[in-house]
Amino acid sequence: MSKSILITGCSSGLGYDAAHGLAKRGWRVFATCRKEADCARLRDEGLESFVLDYADSASIDAALAEVLARTGGTLEALYNNGAFALPGAVEDLPRAGLREIYETNLFGVHELTCKVIPVMRAQGHGRIINCSSVLGLVPMRWRGAYSSTKFALEGLTDTLRIEMRDTPLHIITIAPGPITSDIRKNSIPPFERFVDWQSSARRAQYEESLMGRLYESRGPDRFELPASAVTAKLIHALESARPKPRYFVTTPTYLMAAARRLLPTRVLDWLIAKG
């Protein structure tokens, strides 16, 4: 029988590529999305897909129950990939916006992980892979909401990895940098709903910087890699006999990880602000 994996956030980008890539390698993939329409599309493409919304505990319970019903109560791997971004200056982020992004990017990930752990304990093995970001290592202007959720995810994952050393479970972090995806496009609705940029003291900076980047397609970022680059690291994390605790993807992620260790804070701030 093929090994099974539950993947979140499979409607596009990293999750979509991972779901198809692992299915081709013989994994039994449960590719979940927040919206049923996306799940239906994935089912048409030959994947097993159903709804899992991190912001809804009932949805998490139902999705995991569906997985276990289909496998007879086992699950070899969980890939916590689903997330979204809320652009804006930190001083313009309302509490409601931060609450919403944390419900998906952190609290839902944590809840699903805690419910999967007993399944893996009972079967005596399992791998939990959390998708972080270069923005979980260093911050960037306009990305405070997303960056803070990934910083928190890094801390939670690192602690879990240490605590699970006395179990047969592997806890792994993947930290991509610039990857081809729909995250910019998908961040527009949250931005429009939560950020009153026209009333901001930084309105001119929004107009000069963020608005063009957010609403205009400017082609790939420098050093941008396709989603398949992340899938390649995911495959190693899942199939290696000795997986690494952390995988970096893209040149900027390696550079920023080194810079955070080596540079004084003021120098690192200057480097990041320079872009």
Side-chain angles (χ1 to χ4, degrees), residues 162-179:
I162 293 168
E163 291 173 348
M164 300 302 283
R165 283 173 59 87
D166 62 347
T167 76
L169 278 61
H170 293 282
I171 311 299
I172 301 162
T173 300
I174 295 181
I179 296 290

Side-chain angles (χ1 to χ4, degrees), residues 98-146:
L98 284 177
R99 183 182 293 113
E100 185 163 309
I101 194 172
Y102 269 82
E103 286 289 350
T104 292
N105 291 14
L106 186 69
F107 301 152
V109 171
H110 173 66
E111 183 175 3
L112 177 58
T113 297
C114 290
K115 289 178 176 178
V116 165
I117 285 174
V119 176
M120 294 181 172
R121 278 184 185 273
Q123 68 193 17
H125 64 276
R127 301 191 184 194
I128 297 171
I129 299 99
N130 288 342
C131 189
S132 181
S133 169
V134 64
L135 295 176
L137 304 175
V138 296
M140 289 187 69
R141 182 183 285 125
W142 308 117
R143 296 166 177 84
Y146 183 83

